[in-house]
Amino acid sequence: MIIIVKLTTDCNLRCVYCSEGDKPPRILSLEYIYKMIDELPAFLDSLNDRNVTLLWHGGEPMTVGTHYLRKVMTYAKEKLAGYGLRFEMQSNLTLLNDEWIELIKEFQIRMGVSLDGYRELHDANRRTKDGNPTFDLVMKNLDRLNSEGIRYGTLMVLNTAAPVDVDQLYDFIKERKLHIKIHAVVPCGRAAGNLHSGEIYNRYIAILESLYEKTIGDMDFEGTIDPTDGLLKSILSGVPVNECAYNGNCGQKFFCLYSTGEFGFCGRAESVISGFGYGHIKDHSLFEIYHSQHADSIRDRQEFLASNGCGHCPDWKLCHGGCAFEALNAYGELNVKYPNCESRRSFIRYLKTTGLTLLKKRLVMERKKYRIAIKSRKEILKELSHDGE
């Protein structure tokens, strides 16, 4: 079980596409979060699940301060002793300091860092409230995480209908050995008036394909790029795609506690999905919230789509009708497929055809490389044995 905890609506940046929009600053009451933690053991037992991840989110979660979060995590560790408890955080990383480093290491927080690619892409979207760029500060703090041995992944939001320098983006990912997840911007929050979302999504798919062709032909590439890697793994092995927008687990394996104390199914754009709230933690138990009418409607979406067209799609097991939030955001209802269905299907078909052909060539290249390495090793050993005679 993953619970996204929106600690605050406050943020020190003003990103142009922020799904939160412009809410007044608000911090989640400790009363609400403690009540949730108190109920987690019995709730997890009812689901026959001994593992839970608390994902600290915002706004910018670091704005709440280390004292607040230390109290919460200490309380959670006490109440969930004997359970598999993990902490994660999605952050812009601009507020990292010695206190945060200490806290991250003490509680082994797995970090997700918002990083929109190379300097020009990142700084076009992710600026401070005063309009100042943030790329240099984020990169400096990523170096700090590396030096401290702190694990992290990166999240890029592609928010442009203009051409992207794919060579520069690839070189940036490769040089930093990034494990990066790339999403297309969703037209909600501050991006709600974006009239080019379809164009952006098509360009997003084209960029994913270009990046894949570069990585698959580069024997020295050490990073990962999702959702491409996750989809390929699923195509080859049949395991579900890990990402929620593909695996059909919406409303089952995770849900969200907003800074108001209300629960819902998605961490994005609370105002957009307010009509689908699960209930307030002050008034309901976790069990009641999870089994509320709206929660059931989220889970029922899978059954509806499977029985009404999507289930016959050859890519159903790789997509499951796409993201429930994006369907609701685009059409105002749940029981419709993903708004970028055809573009996503074209990408999946690309991976199943061209992608697998390129992968086969890569494996042949690797086999030749290892054969050459083994042959060289044997020749070296033979020379050494002659030298010893």
Side-chain angles (χ1 to χ4, degrees):
M1 173 62 66
I2 299 175
I3 302 178
I4 303 167
V5 183
K6 307 283 277 188
L7 295 175
T8 179
T9 57
D10 195 15
C11 186
N12 60 316
L13 303 188
R14 186 176 173 80
C15 302
V16 299
Y17 55 68
C18 180
S19 63
E20 290 292 325
D22 297 294
K23 297 184 178 72
R26 180 176 55 235
I27 295 178
L28 177 63
S29 166
L30 287 175
E31 174 191 353
Y32 298 155
I33 195 168
Y34 285 167
K35 183 175 185 291
M36 179 193 73
I37 292 169
D38 287 341
E39 295 184 12
L40 270 174
F43 172 66
L44 292 172
D45 289 346
S46 73
L47 299 178
N48 195 29
D49 189 350
R50 301 287 298 181
N51 299 300
V52 61
T53 295
L54 298 180
L55 169 55
W56 310 127
H57 214 288
E60 168 51 46
M62 285 191 182
T63 61
V64 304
T66 56
H67 178 69
Y68 174 104
L69 201 53
R70 183 184 297 277
K71 286 175 62 176
V72 170
M73 290 191 292
T74 300
Y75 191 81
K77 288 185 71 172
E78 292 173 355
K79 293 293 182 178
L80 289 159
Y83 290 80
L85 172 62
R86 187 168 77 168
F87 300 116
E88 297 183 359
M89 179 186 292
Q90 183 64 38
S91 171
N92 62 42
L93 210 66
T94 59
L95 299 177
L96 188 73
N97 57 25
D98 290 344
E99 289 183 358
W100 277 110
I101 289 286
E102 179 184 349
L103 190 72
I104 291 167
K105 295 176 74 171
E106 179 182 349
F107 289 90
Q108 298 180 309
I109 303 173
R110 174 67 185 271
M111 298 297 296
V113 180
S114 298
L115 176 66
D116 281 1
Y118 54 85
R119 181 189 305 274
E120 290 81 4
L121 283 180
H122 179 95
D123 283 342
N125 298 311
R126 305 190 61 81
R127 291 179 171 266
T128 67
K129 292 178 179 179
D130 296 328
N132 296 318
T134 60
F135 179 82
D136 287 338
L137 179 56
V138 175
M139 298 308 296
K140 175 185 175 182
N141 287 336
L142 280 180
D143 288 338
R144 180 75 187 278
L145 293 185
N146 285 326
S147 67
E148 296 287 348
I150 296 172
R151 296 175 60 200
Y152 64 88
T154 52
L155 174 64
M156 173 185 178
V157 175
L158 184 64
N159 180 42
T160 177
V164 170
D165 189 333
V166 180
D167 290 333
Q168 186 176 354
L169 178 59
Y170 174 74
D171 290 342
F172 175 72
I173 296 170
K174 177 180 177 178
E175 179 184 353
R176 299 292 305 194
K177 299 179 182 179
L178 294 176
H179 299 284
I180 192 166
K181 182 183 294 184
I182 305 177
H183 286 171
V185 68
V186 178
C188 66
R190 292 196 192 114
N194 195 325
L195 301 179
H196 304 289
S197 58
E199 183 180 351
I200 288 174
Y201 195 87
N202 290 335
R203 188 173 298 281
Y204 161 74
I205 294 299
I207 290 172
L208 288 183
E209 292 177 1
S210 295
L211 289 173
Y212 175 70
E213 291 173 8
K214 291 179 180 298
T215 60
I216 207 71
D218 188 345
M219 302 291 285
D220 298 321
F221 183 77
E222 299 180 40
T224 58
I225 299 176
D226 276 316
T228 309
D229 287 16
L231 283 167
L232 268 176
K233 182 179 179 181
S234 184
I235 290 168
L236 291 167
S237 66
V239 300
V241 182
N242 188 51
E243 189 174 343
C244 62
Y246 291 83
N247 61 26
N249 282 331
C250 191
Q252 298 181 38
K253 299 295 185 181
F254 59 91
F255 58 148
C256 180
L257 173 61
Y258 303 118
S259 59
T260 59
E262 181 85 10
F263 270 90
F265 74 94
C266 182
R268 294 181 291 178
E270 175 187 350
S271 59
V272 175
I273 62 176
S274 59
F276 282 82
Y278 289 3
H280 200 288
I281 187 63
K282 177 180 64 175
D283 305 316
H284 302 281
S285 69
L286 279 180
F287 185 86
E288 291 171 335
I289 286 168
Y290 186 79
H291 293 284
S292 67
Q293 180 180 354
H294 287 158
D296 286 340
S297 70
I298 300 296
R299 292 185 284 269
D300 289 344
R301 178 174 181 264
Q302 280 295 291
E303 182 177 347
F304 177 89
L305 292 179
S307 302
N308 290 271
C310 285
H312 300 295
C313 174
D315 302 321
W316 168 254
K317 291 184 178 180
L318 294 170
C319 176
H320 293 92
C323 174
F325 162 72
E326 293 190 44
L328 181 61
N329 181 62
Y331 304 119
E333 57 180 302
L334 280 171
N335 291 330
V336 289
K337 62 186 179 182
Y338 184 60
N340 293 301
C341 169
E342 292 305 318
S343 297
R344 175 179 284 188
R345 286 192 64 197
S346 72
F347 181 54
I348 292 173
R349 287 194 294 269
Y350 165 84
L351 291 177
K352 286 180 173 181
T353 53
T354 304
L356 290 181
T357 299
L358 292 173
L359 178 59
K360 182 178 179 180
K361 290 180 180 179
R362 166 64 179 259
L363 294 175
V364 171
M365 288 171 55
E366 289 184 350
R367 185 171 63 180
K368 288 180 179 179
K369 178 181 177 182
Y370 290 133
R371 281 180 175 174
I372 293 171
I374 291 171
K375 183 178 179 180
S376 298
R377 181 174 180 272
K378 287 180 177 178
E379 290 175 351
I380 292 171
L381 290 173
K382 185 177 179 179
E383 289 178 6
L384 290 174
S385 65
H386 289 321
D387 291 342
E389 293 177 356

